[in-house]
Structures are given as structure tokens and as C-alpha cells.
């Protein structure tokens, strides 16, 4: 456990808690493992329901310590739970792992969210790989989001297969793909092709894919993907056309450049900086009611 | 149906038990729910006892539509013996995990009570193990009591684990939800109350469930909450319920459906409310027995925040519930059941 993380988390907590609350946490943080674990469970009974305020310097300190780690928008309970986990004695590997596994096994939804949020700062990171991939299989939106979005653990530790599952399931659930930490660094040709297949299934069913996801294909543009770009250009939906234009613009594949040149108004707008991927980004995490469908 | 139950020599399920005699003369009135549901327009209901793991998405949608905004799912048995501790862990976790999430998808706030069921207390080696892990569950967010516990066959093992769980409730400062037995009910109910008082529990923290005309007076006189289960054939019918409220008034009385995997009705509350309205019971009395009293009793756990559901469990409310402005689960879109075409 990085001392800096631990210290910064506590700074944020102390700015967001009453004396009674921070005293309770301090006491539990020093307690025996079983008492600390019970405190992890019982936190909502002792801490107020609120979203924490995080100063810019603290935010920066966290990201400097663990790239991509952020507690922005977290509830006090979630943050305190993660802090409590950082206080759990990790000197004996076996015991530490057993304790964390027990918490996973008996966790309710919000505890799972806290546990998955803590993975980037937990000792023995390779131990949590299975748990992390299991969270991607979760049907509970909150749990899935905790591992998939704004969490640096998957980009750092997932295999390509597990990573592609994570990205594809985010797309499948119509969640904002740009909230995935490390999305660009972990782009790969397989993912681009799976995405193309997936889009074809959606199109066959008369459904659509969030335009924003086509940012994943530029580097891997080939004949198959180019035909998808044509399909998007011809869809007569502006956002699809913009996505195709951006994907072609970012690509080094000559036929993609040629295709884009037949849509000069989009090319111009990208050149001028008026059209970027951020125009197509959306923030709705609603799993079942995609805003961009149809 | 009921006859069939009586003849069965197999152990009976929790709520779907043999009839109490009245089932042989069902008051079969031709009053359609669809003709009377406008009587409860604008009312809100809190069902303090319903086993949603056994129910379908259709039930959830119908419940929400009929005004049920929150519910309590007591832990009970799964209908057949458990084969090990993991089965309990998975079940308890589902009550605070998947089922809670599923409920939120339909705009209904889901609470639960945790406990070792009386029937399952009879498997002592397993019961011992369950008692060891139970403390990890009772302190969880949204756990509003220890339940449903109490007597079934009234064996020594049942008494042992009932007492242990009463102590646990005291320590955790949680209300207790007590299942009263189907057989030898009156004595079982008295015994449950006597033991609770012996352990020093405040009766206003104890909800005695599955009452009937025979048990209610003593329960109320001793200061306990009296819950009534509206369950076809085997427990209370809602016409009888109306009479109970007429006789005893609404104080410390609550209605539940105890709907589970037996023939039961997840709309028992709204239907009973409509019948009460029809029979001239005041709106305030209806509100107390179908909503407020349950909140007052189980709210002693400190785990019920009415602002989470009184305006409906909207996406914003879910957001608040999860205490995170970013994490959202989304709610199920309404599906038109009348359409042949499925999109």
C-alpha cells in the first residue's frame, strides 16, 4: 500500500466527516481484522449519506500515486470503506487474502462497489484478477460500473481477452465507453473486429450502436471496417456520419482517407477542430434505456 | 387445492400450509380487482413481508403499478433442505445483492430481514455454522431486522436458535420479525412472546407475524406489533382483515402478503386497501396498516429513509441510494403486455 494513497484518502475523509465520524473510522482502522471487517460492513450505520468533495490537489496526488485512480463523485461510505481496506493488515499474505475474500463472498451491492473500487490500491493485485473479471460478468449495473468505468485496474492487469470482454459489454450495455480508463492504450485489432461483428448483429435487429464506439477502429481500418464506415455515412444519421468521418480521419488506411474526401464538410469541420470524438460522448449510465437508440 | 395440502404427508412449505378450516367455505364473490382498483388511486403501500426471489418481473411491474413503493423480504427457507453453508451465504447475499438490484429496476425500494429460519434451526450442525456468519449480514445497509425467526414445530433446537437470535437482535439494535407456527398457533405465539420478553426485548421492537382473530388481542395487549398475512386459503382473507381493523383499530397493526412460491398474491396490500376503502374504513387507518406502521416498526433499525421511496424510486432516488452521482443502474422499461408483437 502506497503511503501517499493512504494519506491522501484520509485527508479527503477528514475534510468530509464530523469529529464523531472520523473518530469512529480512526478507531476501526486500528482494530483487529474482524472488527475492521465488521466496520466495513456497518459503515452506512455510522457515516452520513453524502458525496465527498475532493480538492484538485488531492485528486492530483491520487493520480500521481496510482495512474488513473480517482475518487471523484464517490459517496463518503464508499471512500471510507476503501480507506478501511487500506488499513487492513497485509503483512501475512494468506490471512489478508482470506479476509478480503470473505468480504467479497458476503458482500451486498454497495460493498461490492467499494471492494472493486479498492482493487487498484489493494496489496497483491494479481490475486484479484479473477474477482475483477467476475465483476465484468455481473448483471448489477452498479457493480459492473465499479470495475469497468473510471477504474485503472483492468487496463493494467487484464489479458486482451478479458479486456475485450469488458469493453464489449460496456458497449453492449450502451454505457459510455470513454469512461473506461486506458481505453486508447489497450485498443487492439481483435476488439475492432469484434465490434464490427457486434454492430452487424445490432443492425440486423434494426437497432443501433452508440456512434462514439467507432473511435476504437481507426488504427485497424481494413476492408471490412471500411464497409462499416460506408454504412455509417449512408445511415443519414448525423452522429453516425460524424463517427465515420472521425474514424476515417484518424486512420492511416488510404481507402479510408479517400472515403472521407467524398464528405468534405465533415473533413473541414474536423480540420477546424469543431468536430471531435467528444461531440459524440454521452454520460448516461442507464443500462436498459439507451438514449441513442433508434 | 387445500384438500390436497391436508392429505399431503410431505413437510409443508412455510406459508402454503394446510387450511385452518375456513378455506372450505371461500367467500367467492365476483368482484373483479380491475373494477375496484381505482379506489386506491394515489395511495402508497409498504409490504413488510414478501419473498421476491420467488416472484417474476410481471409481479414487480404489477406491484409498482398498484402503488407498492417499498417492501421487506424476510429470509426464509428455500422450499427444500439446504446442503451446506454456501447455500445460506448465496441466499443471504442475493437478498442484499441481486434481488435488491432487481427490485430497484422496477422502482421499488427493497429491504430485508436476516435470520435463520425455524425450520432450518432443526439441522443443528448447519445451524451452528449459520450463526457464525450471520453477524456479517445483519449489519448490512438496508437490513431492517432479524427475521423471520421463531417456531415451526416448536422443537428444542428451534427454541435454542430463536433465543440466540433474539440476543443478536438486542446487540445489533434491530427489530425482530417473528414467524408464528401454522400448527398449535396460539400456544406457539404465546411462547414466542414470553421468550422475547424474557430476553428483555422491548415489545414495540418485535413484530409478531401471521396473526389471526384468535391471537391478535393478546399480541396487542402485550405491546407487540401484530402483522397479518393476507394469503389465499391458508392464512387471513382480506374480508376478515377488514373486520379485525374495524374491531381493533389501526394502531400497531400491519398487513402483508407473505407472497412466495406458494399460491399467494403480491397485490394483497392494494387489494385489502381497496376492500377497506369500500367498507368505509378511513383513509388514515388504511395508510397506517398498509404503510406507516410497518415503517415505524422496522424503521427503528435506522435503515429506512422514506425520502428514498415516498416520491417514487426514480432514477435520481436510486442515485441517492447508491450515494454516487456517477453510478446508475437504470430502470426497466415498461413492456406492453397487450401487444402480440415483441420488440
Amino acid at each position: 500500500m502506497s503511503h501517499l494513497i493512504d494519506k491522501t484518502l484520509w485527508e479527503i475523509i477528514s475534510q468530509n466527516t464530523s469529529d464523531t465520524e472520523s473518530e469512529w473510522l480512526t478507531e476501526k482502522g486500528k482494530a483487529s481484522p474482524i472488527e475492521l471487517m465488521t466496520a466495513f460492513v456497518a459503515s452506512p450505520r455510522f457515516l452520513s449519506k453524502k458525496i465527498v468533495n475532493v480538492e484538485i490537489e488531492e485528486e492530483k496526488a491520487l493520480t500521481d500515486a496510482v495512474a488513473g485512480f480517482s475518487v471523484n463523485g464517490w459517496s463518503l461510505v464508499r471512500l471510507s470503506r476503501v480507506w478501511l481496506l487500506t488499513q487492513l493488515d497485509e503483512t501475512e499474505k494468506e490471512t489478508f487474502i482470506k479476509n478480503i475474500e470473505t468480504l467479497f463472498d458476503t458482500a451486498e451491492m454497495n460493498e461490492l462497489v467499494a471492494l472493486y473500487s479498492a482493487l487498484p490500491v489493494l496489496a497483491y493485485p494479481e490475486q484479484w484478477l479473477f474477482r475483477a473479471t467476475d465483476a465484468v460478468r455481473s448483471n448489477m449495473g452498479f457493480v459492473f460500473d465499479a470495475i469497468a468505468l473510471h477504474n485503472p485496474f483492468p487496463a493494467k492487469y487484464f489479458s486482451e481477452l478479458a479486456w475485450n470482454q469488458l469493453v464489449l459489454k460496456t458497449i453492449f450495455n450502451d454505457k459510455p465507453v470513454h469512461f473506461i480508463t486506458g481505453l486508447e492504450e489497450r485498443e487492439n485489432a481483435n476488439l475492432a473486429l469484434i465490434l464490427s461483428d457486434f454492430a452487424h448483429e445490432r443492425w440486423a435487429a434494426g437497432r443501433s450502436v452508440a456512434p462514439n464506439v467507432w473511435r476504437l477502429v481507426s488504427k485497424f481500418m481494413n476492408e471490412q471496417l471500411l464497409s462499416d464506415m460506408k454504412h455509417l455515412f449512408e445511415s443519414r444519421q448525423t452522429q453516425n456520419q460524424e463517427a465515420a468521418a472521425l474514424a476515417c480521419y484518424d486512420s492511416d488506411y488510404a481507402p479510408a482517407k479517400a472515403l472521407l474526401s467524398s464528405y468534405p464538410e465533415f473533413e473541414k469541420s474536423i480540420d477546424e477542430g469543431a468536430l471531435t470524438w467528444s461531440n459524440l460522448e454521452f454520460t448516461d449510465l442507464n443500462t436498459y434505456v439507451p438514449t441513442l437508440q433508434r | 387445492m387445500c384438500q390436497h395440502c391436508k392429505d399431503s404427508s410431505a413437510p409443508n412449505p412455510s406459508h402454503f400450509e394446510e387450511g385452518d378450516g375456513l378455506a372450505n367455505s371461500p367467500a367467492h364473490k365476483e368482484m373483479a380487482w380491475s373494477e375496484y382498483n381505482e379506489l386506491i388511486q394515489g395511495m402508497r403501500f409498504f409490504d413488510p413481508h414478501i419473498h421476491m426471489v420467488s416472484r417474476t418481473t410481471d409481479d414487480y411491474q404489477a406491484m409498482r403499478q398498484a402503488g407498492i413503493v417499498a417492501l421487506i423480504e424476510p429470509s426464509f427457507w428455500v422450499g427444500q433442505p439446504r446442503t451446506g453453508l454456501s447455500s445460506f451465504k448465496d441466499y443471504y447475499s442475493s437478498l442484499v445483492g441481486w434481488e435488491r438490484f432487481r427490485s430497484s429496476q422496477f422502482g421499488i425500494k427493497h429491504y430485508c430481514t436476516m435470520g435463520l429460519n425455524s425450520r432450518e434451526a432443526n439441522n443443528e450442525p448447519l445451524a451452528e455454522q449459520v450463526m457464525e456468519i450471520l453477524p456479517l449480514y445483519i449489519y448490512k445497509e438496508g437490513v431492517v431486522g432479524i427475521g423471520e425467526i421463531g417456531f415451526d414445530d416448536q422443537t428444542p433446537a428451534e427454541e435454542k436458535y430463536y433465543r440466540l437470535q433474539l440476543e443478536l437482535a438486542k446487540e445489533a439494535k434491530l427489530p425482530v420479525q417473528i414467524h408464528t407456527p401454522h400448527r398449535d398457533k396460539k400456544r406457539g405465539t404465546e411462547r414466542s412472546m414470553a421468550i422475547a420478553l424474557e430476553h428483555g426485548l422491548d415489545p414495540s421492537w418485535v413484530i409478531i407475524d401471521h396473526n389471526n382473530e384468535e391471537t391478535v388481542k393478546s399480541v396487542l395487549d402485550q405491546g407487540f406489533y401484530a402483522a397479518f398475512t393476507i394469503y389465499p386459503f391458508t392464512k387471513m382473507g382480506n374480508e376478515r382483515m377488514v373486520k379485525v381493523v374495524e374491531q381493533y383499530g389501526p394502531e400497531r397493526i400491519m398487513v402483508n402478503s407473505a407472497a412466495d412460491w406458494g399460491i399467494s398474491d403480491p397485490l394483497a396490500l392494494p387489494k385489502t386497501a381497496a376492500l377497506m376503502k369500500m367498507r368505509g374504513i378511513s383513509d388514515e387507518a388504511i395508510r397506517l396498516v398498509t404503510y406507516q406502521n410497518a415503517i415505524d416498526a422496522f424503521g427503528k433499525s435506522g435503515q429506512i429513509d422514506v425520502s428514498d421511496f415516498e416520491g417514487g424510486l426514480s432514477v435520481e432516488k436510486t442515485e441517492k441510494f447508491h450515494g454516487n452521482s456517477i453510478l446508475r443502474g437504470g430502470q426497466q422499461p415498461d413492456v406492453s403486455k397487450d401487444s402480440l408483437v415483441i420488440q
Side-chain angles (χ1 to χ4, degrees), chain A residues 60-93:
Chain A
K60 193 176 171 306
L62 290 179
T63 318
D64 287 349
V66 177
F69 183 67
S70 156
V71 302
N72 248 336
W74 286 17
S75 70
L76 177 61
V77 169
R78 182 178 177 186
L79 177 63
S80 303
R81 279 176 165 158
V82 170
W83 177 81
L84 279 171
L85 294 177
T86 66
Q87 301 304 297
L88 192 60
D89 185 6
E90 62 193 37
T91 44
E92 269 184 56
K93 186 178 176 186

Side-chain angles (χ1 to χ4, degrees), chain A residues 178 211-213 215 238-239 241-247 249-250 265-282:
Chain A
H178 65 286
N212 177 32
V213 306
R215 68 201 305 161
T238 314
Q239 290 204 323
Q241 295 170 333
E242 289 174 343
L246 284 161
Y249 189 91
D250 293 342
E265 68 282 17
F266 289 118
E267 195 171 13
K268 181 163 173 280
S269 149
I270 298 171
D271 272 333
E272 289 167 352
L275 174 58
T276 68
W277 283 112
S278 63
N279 296 32
L280 301 176
E281 287 167 1
F282 62 100

Side-chain angles (χ1 to χ4, degrees), chain A residues 212-269:
Chain A
N212 177 32
V213 306
W214 296 106
R215 68 201 305 161
L216 291 165
V217 306
S218 307
K219 286 185 198 131
F220 314 98
M221 201 65 84
N222 60 12
E223 218 171 307
Q224 180 189 339
L225 287 165
L226 192 70
S227 74
D228 293 343
M229 297 305 108
K230 284 181 190 144
H231 179 91
L232 291 171
F233 272 126
E234 286 157 14
S235 73
R236 275 182 262 134
Q237 283 182 2
T238 314
Q239 290 204 323
N240 279 343
Q241 295 170 333
E242 289 174 343
L246 284 161
C248 291
Y249 189 91
D250 293 342
S251 170
D252 295 331
Y253 187 59
K257 296 279 183 214
L259 176 64
L260 179 60
S261 62
S262 37
Y263 298 91
E265 68 282 17
F266 289 118
E267 195 171 13
K268 181 163 173 280
S269 149

Side-chain angles (χ1 to χ4, degrees), chain B residues 6-244:
Chain B
K6 274 179 180 170
D7 293 339
S8 166
S9 57
N12 287 307
S14 182
H15 300 297
F16 187 55
E17 286 277 351
E18 62 263 51
D20 51 14
L22 281 161
N24 292 333
S25 54
H28 197 78
K29 306 260 171 59
E30 292 302 332
M31 295 195 298
W33 165 231
S34 57
E35 289 166 33
Y36 293 91
N37 58 13
E38 71 207 31
L39 289 172
I40 54 148
Q41 280 296 315
M43 289 189 189
R44 276 194 303 258
F45 304 107
F46 187 115
D47 191 340
H49 187 149
I50 182 163
H51 302 286
M52 294 311 297
V53 296
S54 315
R55 312 298 312 187
T56 65
T57 53
D58 282 7
D59 291 336
Y60 268 123
Q61 286 182 330
M63 287 163 69
R64 187 66 189 88
Q65 218 165 34
I68 295 172
V69 293
L71 57 84
I72 297 171
E73 174 148 11
S75 54
F76 85 144
W77 79 309
V78 288
Q80 62 183 30
R82 313 244 187 199
T83 56
L85 184 63
S86 294
S87 159
F88 279 95
K89 284 207 287 193
D90 290 342
Y91 177 67
Y92 293 148
S93 296
S94 75
L95 296 186
V96 289
W98 178 238
E99 201 54 48
R100 180 181 285 179
F101 177 73
R102 203 164 77 99
S103 186
S104 75
Q105 299 267 290
F106 295 92
I108 298 178
K109 176 77 182 167
H110 183 284
Y111 301 98
C112 66
T113 58
M114 289 281 180
L116 172 69
N117 194 266
S118 51
R119 218 173 273 253
E120 295 171 324
N122 290 308
N123 181 348
E124 283 206 67
L126 192 49
E128 274 315 308
Q129 298 174 47
V130 173
M131 290 306 293
E132 271 175 41
I133 60 154
L134 204 49
L136 271 177
Y137 289 99
I138 62 171
Y139 291 102
K140 289 196 191 297
E141 202 170 3
V143 175
V144 296
I146 303 286
E148 53 181 306
I149 60 169
F151 286 113
D152 184 53
D153 286 348
Q154 307 191 43
T155 63
E158 288 177 15
E159 180 170 336
K160 177 182 166 189
Y161 291 101
Y162 174 51
R163 286 178 184 274
L164 284 171
Q165 292 183 90
L166 290 177
E167 285 301 317
L168 200 56
K170 248 168 55 175
E171 195 187 314
K173 297 196 181 66
L174 282 173
V176 182
Q177 185 173 32
I178 295 181
H179 165 91
T180 52
H182 299 269
R183 299 164 296 276
D184 198 8
K185 187 178 202 74
K186 212 167 163 184
R187 272 198 297 179
T189 304
E190 289 303 328
R191 196 170 156 202
S192 304
M193 290 191 290
I195 294 173
L197 293 174
E198 189 192 318
H199 280 262
L201 270 89
D202 179 339
S204 72
W205 282 62
V206 180
I207 297 91
I208 306 290
D209 214 338
H210 316 316
N211 277 280
N212 58 30
E213 296 86 344
E214 296 296 308
T215 58
V216 56
K217 186 167 188 312
S218 172
V219 170
L220 291 174
D221 285 352
Q222 296 185 64
F224 293 87
Y225 273 93
F228 289 82
T229 297
I230 310 300
Y231 198 100
F233 310 120
T234 64
K235 291 191 169 69
M236 290 286 288
N238 54 4
E239 294 186 292
R240 285 162 60 198
M241 189 66 228
V242 175
K243 292 204 178 84
V244 167

